[in-house]
Amino acid sequence: RSSQQGFGREMPPDYLLVEIYFDQKEALAQAAPFFRWYESINWTGPRGATYKNWKVLASGWIFNYHQEFKLQKRLKFNHL
């Protein structure tokens, strides 16, 4: 194991580290969908370059997840 482990630079990441990160960000249920999605595209971007830091990807995923959750909550509240 490298001294850089846990900083997000190991590609592909160890699933356990992804799970821990998502749990810390209160989005544990999204760890598996995130991991499966990026595994399915081999951790590469649209132009075929391998991503360099999975935590940057995870942060965006979690942000979008929380925004969608808030939106659904507002929509539900407005329909009462």
Side-chain angles (χ1 to χ4, degrees):
R1 301 261 164 167
S2 79
S3 62
Q4 293 295 305
Q5 187 176 19
F7 289 99
R9 295 183 192 100
E10 55 283 326
M11 296 300 292
D14 181 274
Y15 179 70
L16 182 59
L17 293 176
V18 172
E19 210 171 42
I20 290 167
Y21 184 78
F22 274 76
D23 189 31
Q24 290 172 337
K25 304 295 183 186
E26 298 181 14
L28 181 57
Q30 288 297 304
F34 166 82
F35 194 84
R36 281 194 304 268
W37 167 252
Y38 282 101
E39 280 282 292
S40 76
I41 60 169
N42 295 315
W43 299 93
T44 57
R47 296 188 177 159
T50 301
Y51 288 112
K52 303 235 182 281
N53 188 323
W54 66 264
K55 282 189 177 179
V56 172
L57 302 172
S59 178
W61 184 286
I62 292 166
F63 175 80
N64 290 335
Y65 167 72
H66 285 302
Q67 293 306 311
E68 181 64 26
F69 183 78
K70 288 180 202 173
L71 176 63
Q72 294 304 320
K73 199 172 174 182
R74 275 195 299 273
L75 291 174
K76 185 177 178 183
F77 180 76
N78 289 337
H79 284 85
L80 294 179

